Amino acid sequence: MDTTAPVIFATRSGGTTLDRDAQGGNPFASALIDLAEQEHTDLGTFAALLRAATESRSHGVQSPEWLALPDRSPWSLHRSPFDPPDSRTALLLMVSAYPADALPPLYGAAWDERRVAAALARNGFSVTQGVRGDRTSLLKSLRAFGVASRRSESAVIYATGHGIEHAGETWLIPTDFPFEHGYTAGNLRRHAIPVARIRQACTGRNTRLVFFAGCRSPGDAVGHARESGTD
């Protein structure tokens, strides 16, 4: 059986995301935070509501989609005081401080780290945050979380930063990526983090879920991020 975690993307394949909305962050994060305060019966219902709320907040720029999500799986991100206790753990990977001559900084992502961490903590998650944005630090955190989350009933990873889509895979761009050499397939394999790797590190016993809030832009479109105000 495939135990790789499902992923909910903040935008469609090839799409962009907005770094800052009226609440100061990604519309996807704002929608997630709101929904974390509401009870849901299953993952499919939750994902559909998250899509609708994100589309509304982003004025149609972002339309979330998901991969390998078990729609009828009974689970709620929100946990009330009357719910039976369960062990929950979360990892936040927020890559925001890029070199000024390479990509624009993502101030909204930095703000979202505080907002999303607080929302998860309110709902019973033990949250790991403050991970540096270089590739070595990101991989180290993923390895550690892959081990630690096996002991939890529910595991969540929220990741964001500048994102690239290439050959059907979405990649998180670290701060130490060799930007001057471009977003070739080889450079992405050697220097970026595939969403597939993030999914593998989410190993909760009962529920596993990855949120990827970055863009899914073709490599040649990333240079326009400053003008468009996207991730």
Side-chain angles (χ1 to χ4, degrees), residues 43-100:
L43 283 174
T45 300
F46 168 77
L49 290 170
L50 181 58
R51 171 188 280 166
T54 302
E55 288 175 342
S56 175
R57 286 179 173 276
S58 68
H59 304 288
V61 173
Q62 297 174 219
S63 183
E65 60 183 25
W66 41 88
L67 180 64
L69 189 75
D71 288 353
R72 299 185 182 277
S73 179
W75 185 77
S76 179
L77 179 62
H78 175 75
R79 191 172 74 177
S80 77
F82 306 103
D83 291 334
D86 66 333
S87 54
R88 296 181 160 201
T89 188
L91 172 65
L92 270 58
L93 302 178
M94 319 296 271
V95 185
S96 58
Y98 288 89

Side-chain angles (χ1 to χ4, degrees), residues 141-160:
S141 294
L142 288 170
R143 286 192 295 270
F145 190 75
V147 174
S149 61
R150 293 191 191 115
R151 299 191 292 268
S152 296
E153 294 175 69
S154 299
V156 164
I157 297 178
Y158 186 101
T160 193

Side-chain angles (χ1 to χ4, degrees), residues 111-172:
W111 172 234
D112 285 340
E113 179 160 16
R114 295 187 286 272
R115 297 198 301 154
V116 173
L120 291 173
R122 285 195 299 271
N123 287 284
F125 283 87
S126 173
V127 181
T128 298
Q129 61 184 117
V131 179
R132 291 170 58 89
D134 60 278
R135 186 173 185 269
T136 297
S137 296
L138 293 170
L139 288 174
K140 181 179 179 181
S141 294
L142 288 170
R143 286 192 295 270
F145 190 75
V147 174
S149 61
R150 293 191 191 115
R151 299 191 292 268
S152 296
E153 294 175 69
S154 299
V156 164
I157 297 178
Y158 186 101
T160 193
H162 285 291
I164 296 287
E165 187 175 82
H166 178 79
E169 177 63 273
T170 302
W171 302 77
L172 177 64

